[in-house]
Structures are given as structure tokens and as C-alpha cells.
Amino acid sequence: MKKLRLTLWMIPLAIILVACGGNEYETDIESVIDHHRDVTMYLDETRKVYEVRENANVVVYDEGKYITLSFIDPEDETEGRQETYEKVGDSWTQLKQYESEKLLNKTPDYQEQLGKSI
């Protein structure tokens, strides 16, 4: 009887834990997008409106140390320039284009397209 009660209690607990499990890079992705929007000088108000996660392609490398962003303009559906950021302590540093080329040969840890995991 004790095993039955324990089993019946464990099933809902397991379902809850699985449902709560999300993307382990969630906070890093949100953080780097906010950083990108804060430091990118060329952004006018029009671009700030569409440079959000739902319009982004996101690639995470080296367990979240590097994150590459590119945003899709919803009006003409063109993808903008890829920007790669490196996590240094609690902040982000933008890499130069040639510095981020070394990541092209690596397998991404996580990828997201237009806000959805792929």
C-alpha cells in the first residue's frame, strides 16, 4: 500500500517538474538581447520595435559563453547582420566579425529561430 501511495504521489510530481523545465539559456538570451538593444547605437525606434526575441535567430555556443544574434525585419523578411557576444563575468562583450568566425566550426549547444527552439 505504501508503494502505491508513493507511486501515485511521484507521478504528478514528475509531470510538474518536466513541465517547469525550460531552456537553460533563457536568462542569458534575454540578457544579451537587452544588452544588444542598449549598446547598439544605430538602432532607431523603428528597429528597436522589431529587434526582439520573437524576430531573432539565436545560437548558443560553449555552454552559454557565446551567443550569436541576428534579427529578421518583419516588413521585408530580411535577416540582419549577425552579432556575436561573449559573456565576461556578469556582462556581455561584442566580438568583432573575425573573432566570431572561429565559432562557425563548432556545434551549437542551443538554437532558436523566431523565438522557438530548433
Side-chain angles (χ1 to χ4, degrees), residues 37-38 40-41 43-52:
R37 293 182 68 192
D38 289 344
T40 307
M41 301 293 187
L43 286 182
D44 57 20
E45 290 307 311
T46 308
R47 293 198 57 173
K48 282 189 179 187
V49 169
Y50 81 78
E51 289 201 351
V52 293

Side-chain angles (χ1 to χ4, degrees), residues 79-93:
E79 184 174 12
R81 180 176 167 208
Q82 287 188 344
E83 307 281 347
T84 302
Y85 294 90
E86 177 181 17
K87 189 169 191 176
V88 180
D90 291 336
S91 63
W92 295 95
T93 303

Side-chain angles (χ1 to χ4, degrees), residues 11-12 21 26 39 58 60 70 84 101:
I11 292 172
E26 189 77 28
V39 301
V58 179
V60 178
S70 61
T84 302
E101 288 177 1

Side-chain angles (χ1 to χ4, degrees), residues 74-111:
E75 290 182 14
D76 59 7
E77 297 183 359
T78 57
E79 184 174 12
R81 180 176 167 208
Q82 287 188 344
E83 307 281 347
T84 302
Y85 294 90
E86 177 181 17
K87 189 169 191 176
V88 180
D90 291 336
S91 63
W92 295 95
T93 303
Q94 185 175 355
L95 297 178
K96 295 186 179 0
Q97 194 70 31
Y98 67 88
E99 292 174 325
S100 63
E101 288 177 1
K102 65 182 177 186
L103 297 174
L104 296 175
N105 296 328
K106 292 189 173 198
T107 303
D109 295 331
Y110 176 78
Q111 287 182 289

